[in-house]
Amino acid sequence: MDRIRIRGGAPLRGKIAIGGAKNAALPLMVASLLTEGTLRLSNVPDLVDIKTMLDILVAHGAHAEVAPDGTASGGRTISMRADNITSTTAEYDLVRKMRASVLVLGPLVARFGEAKVSLPGGCAIGTRPVNLHLAGMQALGAEIVIEDGYIHAKAPKGLKGGIVRFPTVSVGATEDLLMAATLAKGETVLENAACEPEIVDLAKLLIAMGADIEGAGSSRIVVRGKAKLNGTQHKVVADRIEAGTYAIAAAITGGALEITGAGVELMGAVVESLVNAGVDVALARDSMKVSANGAVHAVDVSTAPFPGFPTDMQAQMMALMTVAQGAAVITETIFENRFMHVPELARMGADITVKGNTAIVRGVKALKGAPVMATDLRASVSLVLAGLCAQGETVVSRVYHLDRGYQSVDKKLAACGADIERVPG
Ligand code: EPZ
């Protein structure tokens, strides 16, 4: 297994191009199941999770072609066509690799009247049940049975519009039901829907495919079902989490980075926290300059659904707080086990006390390099960030977590002066 070796201390300087958002691209790809037309997505990041989603769609019988799209971030164009679906089963071996695979449930039942989708199984950051997806599908008239580790869903006469009130805000369940409702008969209202930019991007694509959707980006989405959707093309929205991660790389190394292609209007809460911490952030239309000359100060952060501070930036912010002046209280409200990076950061000299879903981070003068290991995507990148500012050498193992969500992270950082290399295992 590959590792990443970092010798910390170099302030980063230069430009980093941000790619399309993984968490937008995955549901957008699934939307190809809603039509027999061709769906052409550009600005798709070249990541392991994208490859896994392609494998899932191809296993259903979809046809897919991938080509470089010439963007500065090394994105791809993916053309998908689901005009000859041969299987409505999503097997355990593919679904267990990536929870977002469960998103095929809604579109398959909506278009073909049935689906058999493996339950995703365990996850490092929380139990992450799929009950909201199932209850939503039932509200649209699907019969659901759980048997042998699989969700068996049927709606032989098609789905019917209905009211779905989510008891908890869920990005995935909102996306699943939004897709399902586009082909349901009549009107569907999604209440307490997630408002994330990735949902807005999905709605834009669905509307371009001919869907009738109002209110995406608010907590109430109204969908009037259509008999059929058509193919279209669409550019994936920028990855606000990748952009935020590189903003912290600039801050934690006392450097200055220009982050381009970043969709800065989607990054309000992260930018606000960085500014409160004393980091200089200059926003332009689709880029931002981030620099930190003086000390970074401790700021408290509590994760929340959009437009709140994203849980996907919590580990990175914690890495920054380990070397800030003062004590920061970091509260994780979305996932119950998303502090797996804490013991690894502690091995690098961080002073962190965890009580329930709160971590008190007391800034230290400097972190010290150490061999560390990560358990999920954002935890791994927080260790890379810590390694960039630590004294001496840090070796991050289990790099496959990083490959799921950060394209060429080592190359992008090295091009800005980081002493970082990937060591093949
Ligand atoms: C999406 O996951 C993202 N993944 C996650 O990014 C992100 O952390 C999360 O949203 C929150 O923003 C993708 O978009 C592919 P949820 P998702 O449903 O949709 C509970 C990353 O690092 N819940 O919004 O699975 C759930 O347990 C990843 O890129 C239920 O109880 O998250 C959690 O506590 C990790 N029942 C809360 O809702 C359900 O049926 C929010 O989860 C569904 C969710």
Side-chain angles (χ1 to χ4, degrees):
M1 274 188 273
D2 291 4
R3 287 167 297 157
I4 283 192
R5 183 188 296 144
I6 307 161
R7 289 173 201 91
L12 299 186
R13 296 199 190 282
K15 246 188 205 182
I16 293 187
I18 298 306
K22 163 186 80 89
N23 288 347
L26 294 171
L28 294 172
M29 291 168 74
V30 174
S32 65
L33 294 173
L34 291 165
T35 174
E36 54 186 29
T38 300
L39 194 62
R40 194 153 173 264
L41 299 176
S42 60
N43 202 30
V44 180
D46 185 12
L47 298 170
V48 171
D49 274 10
I50 299 294
K51 168 83 175 61
T52 304
M53 186 56 88
L54 278 173
D55 290 344
I56 287 165
L57 296 173
V58 167
H60 288 306
H63 178 75
E65 276 171 34
V66 182
D69 69 0
T71 49
S73 63
R76 304 289 172 102
T77 293
I78 301 188
S79 298
M80 289 157 294
R81 195 173 172 89
D83 56 348
N84 186 22
I85 289 302
T86 49
S87 160
T88 51
T89 299
E91 298 285 356
Y92 175 65
D93 269 352
L94 286 170
V95 177
R96 74 181 166 81
K97 286 192 189 169
M98 187 181 66
R99 306 185 64 83
S101 328
V102 85
L103 292 176
V104 300
L105 179 70
L108 285 174
V109 178
R111 184 159 157 226
F112 303 103
E114 57 165 39
K116 179 181 164 195
V117 178
S118 169
L119 284 165
C123 178
I125 62 176
T127 48
R128 303 182 76 183
V130 292
N131 58 314
L132 303 179
H133 298 243
L134 304 185
M137 290 301 292
Q138 281 168 330
L140 300 194
E143 280 168 35
I144 307 264
V145 176
I146 306 285
E147 217 170 67
D148 309 326
Y150 279 80
I151 305 159
H152 299 256
K154 278 206 170 101
K157 292 186 186 149
L159 293 173
K160 280 199 204 101
I163 294 177
V164 179
R165 194 185 150 72
F166 298 109
T168 309
V169 176
S170 162
V171 175
T174 302
E175 291 165 345
D176 208 359
L177 271 297
L178 178 60
M179 287 190 277
T182 60
L183 291 181
K185 239 180 236 147
E187 185 175 280
T188 297
V189 181
L190 305 180
E191 288 178 354
N192 200 26
C195 305
E196 266 65 6
E198 292 72 24
I199 292 186
V200 176
D201 205 37
L202 175 62
K204 274 189 193 158
L205 170 84
L206 295 170
I207 291 168
M209 291 169 74
D212 182 350
I213 300 171
E214 265 173 50
S218 77
S219 58
R220 187 171 188 274
I221 306 179
V222 180
V223 185
R224 284 168 215 97
K226 294 279 169 117
K228 236 178 161 187
L229 297 183
N230 48 263
T232 190
Q233 30 188 325
H234 179 84
K235 182 178 174 198
V236 179
V237 69
D239 193 328
R240 62 199 168 99
I241 307 299
E242 187 191 18
T245 301
Y246 288 120
I248 289 187
I252 207 168
T253 61
L257 288 177
E258 184 177 354
I259 297 165
T260 62
V264 294
E265 75 284 1
L266 311 176
M267 299 186 55
V270 171
V271 168
E272 195 184 316
S273 296
L274 288 175
V275 169
N276 289 342
V279 177
D280 289 325
V281 183
L283 301 177
R285 209 168 62 84
D286 72 342
S287 69
M288 59 182 180
K289 288 184 180 159
V290 182
S291 58
N293 295 317
V296 170
H297 302 285
V299 284
D300 297 343
V301 161
S302 181
T303 63
F306 190 84
F309 191 94
T311 173
D312 290 348
M313 282 297 300
Q314 180 258 108
Q316 301 89 312
M317 195 65 187
M318 190 182 295
L320 180 62
M321 291 300 105
T322 63
V323 289
Q325 274 183 0
V329 178
I330 297 189
T331 309
E332 172 57 55
T333 71
I334 308 290
F335 292 110
E336 67 275 21
N337 193 28
R338 211 171 194 184
F339 281 149
M340 301 289 276
H341 40 287
V342 169
E344 300 301 304
L345 289 170
R347 298 186 64 251
M348 298 176 72
D351 179 350
I352 308 172
T353 312
V354 173
K355 281 197 187 118
N357 69 342
T358 296
I360 299 161
V361 188
R362 293 181 185 83
V364 295
K365 273 226 160 73
L367 295 176
K368 300 236 162 62
V372 285
M373 185 180 86
T375 43
D376 80 88
L377 170 58
R378 310 301 170 187
S380 348
V381 89
S382 78
L383 300 176
V384 171
L385 293 170
L388 289 174
C389 74
Q391 294 168 347
E393 185 176 284
T394 297
V395 178
V396 183
S397 54
R398 302 201 173 168
V399 168
Y400 57 86
H401 286 298
L402 272 176
D403 294 338
R404 292 186 61 176
Y406 289 92
Q407 183 172 345
S408 312
V409 64
D410 49 330
K411 293 195 184 98
K412 285 184 176 183
L413 291 169
C416 295
D419 186 346
I420 181 169
E421 64 186 328
R422 191 173 174 122
V423 187

